[in-house]
Amino acid sequence: MGKSLSHLPLLNKDDSCTTPSDISDRNGLADAHDKDGGNGDVSQFPYVEFTGRDSVTCQTCQGTGRIPRGQENQLVALIPYSDQRLRPRRTKLYVTVAVMVCLLLSGLAVFFLFPRSIDVSYVGIKSAYVSYNQDQRIIYLNITNTLNITNNNYYSVEVANISAQIQFSKTVIGKSRLSNATSIGPLDMNQIDYMVPTVIADEMSYMFDYCTLPSIKVHNIVVMMQVTVTTAYFGHTEQVSQERYQYVDCGGNTTYLHGHSKVVNVLQPPE
């Protein structure tokens, strides 16, 4: 009975506008159900578009159940508001982790890249070489000094130049400039020697007699050492200055070890 009735077109008063094509579609569905009814597998049903008075055929897939290949980027899919795909999981956790990671990276960047001071320590005079001009009563004194430069940063710095001058009795007797001295690594210290040539002459020619006096073995004079160290890093330059009063023996060549002087040779004036 059920099988025979499935082949009959069902009409009621609401289907008065049903077209012959609607009836043929429904009959085709009934035939497919009779063929596959024995197996009971619903998945074997082909896609069928039901059309009637209150429905129309889908214009995009034309009843085939597939979207044309050339229209993937033109069609818009409508998703219900209650769809779970619109409610991503663990959103707060992901946002919190991202914020914490950004803060951590920012803190590390500030810690390692924040500029720190460059320490300059004047060690003292390393050596002094003396020569004389007997005729013009001139004293030539080449003084070699030692500096300790400490880099407290976590990146290398360049020692751009070292400028130095020496004063005696409020008069500049020598100047020197050392360019492109060296590069100092992160958290490292370099010891740099620089030499300043000095000349004691003219109005201070009276010092010639003192420095060549044979009755005195050590001819110490007091000079003021001034040095300025210019460092550069990340396009930024920094200057550190030092001033120190030192004793220098103008009567002979002298080397200085750990703050103590050792007389190498005492120049004696000719008799």
Side-chain angles (χ1 to χ4, degrees):
M1 171 74 69
K3 182 179 291 188
S4 61
L5 288 177
S6 64
H7 290 282
L8 295 178
L10 303 177
L11 298 175
N12 54 34
K13 62 180 180 180
D14 294 333
D15 294 338
S16 58
C17 296
T18 303
T19 61
S21 62
D22 297 338
I23 298 174
S24 61
D25 291 342
R26 294 178 182 177
N27 291 338
L29 179 61
D31 293 339
H33 178 68
D34 290 341
K35 293 178 181 179
D36 299 333
N39 298 329
D41 190 359
V42 180
S43 63
Q44 299 298 325
F45 275 87
Y47 175 82
V48 178
E49 178 115 9
F50 292 95
T51 59
R53 184 185 64 178
D54 298 329
S55 61
V56 296
T57 303
C58 176
Q59 297 297 324
T60 56
C61 57
Q62 300 295 328
T64 62
R66 294 184 178 89
I67 297 175
R69 183 175 296 277
Q71 299 183 9
E72 296 92 338
N73 298 327
Q74 301 176 4
L75 303 178
V76 178
L78 300 179
I79 302 176
Y81 180 77
S82 60
D83 196 297
Q84 293 296 327
R85 288 173 294 178
L86 298 179
R87 300 177 182 177
R89 301 177 181 178
R90 301 179 179 177
T91 304
K92 294 183 179 179
L93 177 61
Y94 295 151
V95 172
T96 303
V97 171
V99 171
M100 294 299 293
V101 170
C102 292
L103 291 177
L104 177 61
L105 294 178
S106 301
L108 292 176
V110 171
F111 177 78
F112 286 106
L113 299 180
F114 186 80
R116 294 169 174 82
S117 63
I118 306 297
D119 296 334
V120 176
S121 176
Y122 181 79
V123 177
I125 298 176
K126 183 176 182 180
S127 64
Y129 178 79
V130 183
S131 61
Y132 304 103
N133 186 324
Q134 300 285 346
D135 298 332
Q136 299 181 5
R137 297 172 60 85
I138 299 176
I139 303 172
Y140 298 98
L141 187 61
N142 295 335
I143 304 175
T144 302
N145 302 271
T146 302
L147 287 177
N148 285 341
I149 304 178
T150 304
N151 178 20
N152 296 314
N153 296 281
Y154 287 88
Y155 44 84
S156 299
V157 298
E158 299 289 334
V159 179
N161 59 76
I162 298 176
S163 300
Q165 72 175 17
I166 298 178
Q167 293 185 12
F168 174 70
S169 186
K170 297 182 180 180
T171 302
V172 177
I173 60 175
K175 290 184 177 181
S176 176
R177 182 182 178 89
L178 180 63
S179 300
N180 299 324
T182 185
S183 176
I184 305 177
L187 304 177
D188 196 8
M189 186 272 289
N190 279 13
Q191 189 170 87
I192 299 177
D193 296 334
Y194 65 95
M195 190 270 291
V196 181
T198 64
V199 178
I200 301 176
D202 299 331
E203 67 273 8
M204 292 181 295
S205 60
Y206 62 90
M207 293 301 301
F208 180 84
D209 296 330
Y210 169 75
C211 294
T212 59
L213 189 63
S215 61
I216 303 176
K217 186 175 182 179
V218 179
H219 305 77
N220 283 335
I221 61 174
V222 178
V223 296
M224 184 176 69
M225 307 291 185
Q226 295 177 328
V227 60
T228 300
V229 178
T230 303
T231 57
Y233 50 90
F234 294 156
H236 170 74
T237 58
E238 180 180 343
Q239 289 186 340
V240 181
S241 299
Q242 290 279 325
E243 290 185 359
R244 185 73 62 85
Y245 285 95
Q246 292 287 331
Y247 285 100
V248 179
D249 186 2
C250 65
N253 298 333
T254 309
T255 58
Y256 296 81
L257 301 175
H258 305 290
H260 301 284
S261 63
K262 177 182 178 181
V263 178
V264 177
N265 182 26
V266 178
L267 297 182
Q268 301 292 337
E271 297 181 355

